[in-house]
Amino acid sequence: MNKALENVRILDLTHMLSGPYGAMILADLGAETIKVEPLQGEGTRKLLAKDPRNSLDGMGAYYITLNRNKKSVAIDLKSEDGLAVFYDLVRESDVVISNFGVGVPERLKVDYNTLKKVNSRIITCTVTGFGSDGPNPKRPAFDQVAQATGGGMSSTGTDPDHPVRSGIPIGDLGGGMFAVMGILTALMERTHSGEGQHVDISMVDCQVSMLNYMATMYFLSGEDPYPIGNSHFVHVPYNTFHTSDGFIVIAVITDNFWQNLKQVVDCPEFDDAKYDGQPGRWEDRDMINARLNEILGTNTSDYWLQKLNEKRIPCAPVNRFSQALSDEQLLHRNMVVELRHPNGKSTRGPGNPIKLSRTGEESFTPAPTVGQNTDEVLTGILGYDEARIASLKNEGAIG
């Protein structure tokens, strides 16, 4: 194997989406990722598992995607013997990632302050809705709660009266992405200090971070942004437009692009000199957008995209999943990969977006069944013999 993180071992205590997504990225990059789950399996296994359209032999789309490249060890962390097994794994690992509610790691005795006594080099990471401290961190949070609380949802949609969440669960996925950044940062720091530390990720913090320059605009102006659909608050035309068979995006962000666009659409109203600069276009943006919709509606998306690309005007089709996941550029980048079931059947899913020039091997092992790797991990990493493993199973400490 030639993957960048192949010398890193992660204990994955996550469930649902935010934590599993972060652990999946690290596993894709080569980290030996051991999913530590209850004897009955963690709850995400049940999502869509019985939906015939969105499952593969009892393994739902959530689980088969988020748990590729991972191993499964089933441990009862609430039992004394099970917790002792987990601590043995901590001694041989680099990272423990979880997304339990605030206070749960402490109750389970898998929090950083406990685990650093077991392994001073251990790095722990928790992904929670609101972080681990502050006046009220224990509020329950899922994706839409994070999107709403973080402010971004208030600026998404077509008008101020109809806020809309992002079509993809960016609240959850953002937490997972920032968890990866935090874990890799802590691993880098440990090479100098030799010590572990805790990475505290709040999904809402992540949403606020992604407000970025728009938050600064608010502090400068004192004005809350509001939803403006797919248009832009500076550039015109910058929007989604109807064609005869779908939608395309045009993003005119310089005056040169505007001049090129006029050659493509041949609209006499656009020849007014006031539109040669952004202020004039902004003033008459409704007319410009309306005329473009009329003109572009006379032909197909492919026709207009060809014309626009010939003039190097930023544009794109508004792809459905079926179109995006068959795009030749994305296929070339290996962004659609085979996802296998342990029984050998397979489907397809998204690939790994991080491409490395020297240690970038890509491979995707099947999401495991519950406890599929318990014996392998406990013998191979911890050196347990068959009798000890059998005894732990009989006691219900492992499965």
Side-chain angles (χ1 to χ4, degrees):
M1 184 170 69
N2 185 29
K3 295 190 176 186
L5 299 182
E6 60 186 12
N7 294 316
V8 174
R9 180 174 293 135
I10 295 174
L11 301 180
D12 175 9
L13 295 172
T14 65
H15 61 292
M16 297 304 290
L17 181 53
S18 60
Y21 180 67
M24 181 203 78
I25 294 173
L26 295 167
D28 286 353
L29 294 171
E32 182 183 10
T33 304
I34 301 170
K35 185 172 186 62
V36 178
E37 53 185 327
L39 305 193
Q40 71 274 19
E42 62 101 340
T44 316
R45 287 185 177 274
K46 298 179 181 179
L47 295 179
L48 300 177
K50 295 183 179 180
D51 183 334
R53 296 181 304 143
N54 294 296
S55 64
L56 186 64
D57 273 10
M59 191 173 281
Y62 280 84
Y63 197 85
I64 200 170
T65 306
L66 293 165
N67 293 287
R68 66 197 191 193
N69 286 327
K70 299 180 184 180
K71 301 175 181 177
S72 172
V73 171
I75 300 177
D76 180 6
L77 293 177
K78 296 179 180 179
S79 76
E80 184 176 338
D81 288 337
L83 195 58
V85 173
F86 180 73
Y87 289 161
D88 282 347
L89 286 171
V90 170
R91 292 185 181 93
E92 303 298 327
S93 299
D94 300 286
V95 178
V96 176
I97 179 172
S98 68
N99 61 329
F100 298 122
V102 173
V104 175
E106 288 77 9
R107 289 203 299 274
L108 292 176
K109 300 178 182 178
V110 296
D111 58 293
Y112 175 67
N113 286 330
T114 299
L115 298 185
K116 71 178 181 180
K117 298 172 185 176
V118 177
N119 177 358
S120 64
R121 292 173 56 83
I122 199 68
I123 292 164
T124 61
C125 176
T126 55
V127 183
T128 60
F130 298 91
S132 63
D133 56 9
N136 192 9
K138 293 188 177 182
R139 288 172 287 173
F142 292 94
D143 172 77
Q144 192 160 328
V145 172
Q147 289 195 40
T149 307
M153 188 171 164
S154 73
S155 66
T156 305
T158 57
D159 62 77
D161 295 326
H162 300 89
V164 177
R165 69 171 176 85
S166 170
I168 60 174
I170 193 63
D172 277 328
L173 298 177
M177 288 188 284
F178 278 92
V180 172
M181 297 180 216
I183 288 168
L184 294 179
T185 300
L187 285 169
M188 175 65 74
E189 191 280 335
R190 194 182 67 177
T191 64
H192 305 291
S193 68
E195 298 181 9
Q197 60 182 304
H198 179 58
V199 179
D200 177 8
I201 300 295
S202 154
M203 289 161 57
V204 174
D205 288 356
C206 298
Q207 294 301 292
V208 170
S209 174
M210 288 189 282
L211 297 179
N212 201 261
Y213 67 87
M214 294 181 69
T216 307
M217 290 172 62
Y218 160 74
F219 284 115
L220 289 169
S221 69
E223 298 173 358
D224 281 314
Y226 56 87
I228 54 175
N230 295 323
S231 63
H232 197 278
F233 52 83
V234 174
H235 306 300
V236 177
Y238 188 114
N239 215 322
T240 303
F241 299 95
H242 287 276
T243 66
S244 64
D245 64 350
F247 299 90
I248 64 172
V249 167
I250 297 176
V252 171
I253 60 174
T254 70
D255 294 338
N256 287 337
F257 289 145
W258 170 253
Q259 297 300 329
N260 291 346
L261 179 64
K262 289 198 299 180
Q263 297 176 43
V264 172
V265 298
D266 189 23
C267 178
E269 292 97 321
F270 293 173
D271 289 334
D272 192 323
K274 71 177 288 188
Y275 302 140
D276 290 346
Q278 181 273 344
R281 297 196 298 276
W282 175 256
E283 182 180 346
D284 289 350
R285 59 191 179 277
D286 291 339
M287 183 277 290
I288 291 173
N289 286 331
R291 288 294 289 126
L292 279 173
N293 266 318
E294 292 173 8
I295 295 167
L296 296 172
T298 63
N299 218 317
T300 66
S301 294
D302 285 345
Y303 172 84
W304 290 116
L305 290 170
Q306 179 182 345
K307 296 293 185 183
L308 293 164
N309 279 314
E310 287 173 357
K311 294 295 183 179
R312 298 190 60 78
I313 299 167
C315 62
V318 179
N319 281 335
R320 298 181 179 88
F321 278 37
S322 56
Q323 295 167 310
L325 296 173
S326 60
D327 181 272
E328 62 180 2
Q329 176 68 14
L330 291 170
L331 294 177
H332 170 79
R333 298 276 296 173
N334 204 33
M335 283 309 299
V336 175
V337 300
E338 184 179 28
L339 298 179
R340 289 180 287 130
H341 191 285
N343 66 13
K345 294 183 179 180
S346 68
T347 183
R348 288 181 295 168
N352 173 20
I354 300 173
K355 309 298 183 183
L356 301 175
S357 64
R358 185 171 52 81
T359 55
E361 177 187 326
E362 293 189 340
S363 59
F364 301 91
T365 59
T369 56
V370 180
Q372 178 179 326
N373 309 102
T374 299
D375 290 12
E376 169 196 340
V377 168
L378 298 191
T379 57
I381 296 176
L382 302 183
Y384 287 11
D385 58 29
E386 292 183 5
R388 185 173 183 185
I389 291 174
S391 175
L392 288 167
K393 287 183 178 179
N394 289 334
E395 295 167 1
I398 64 172

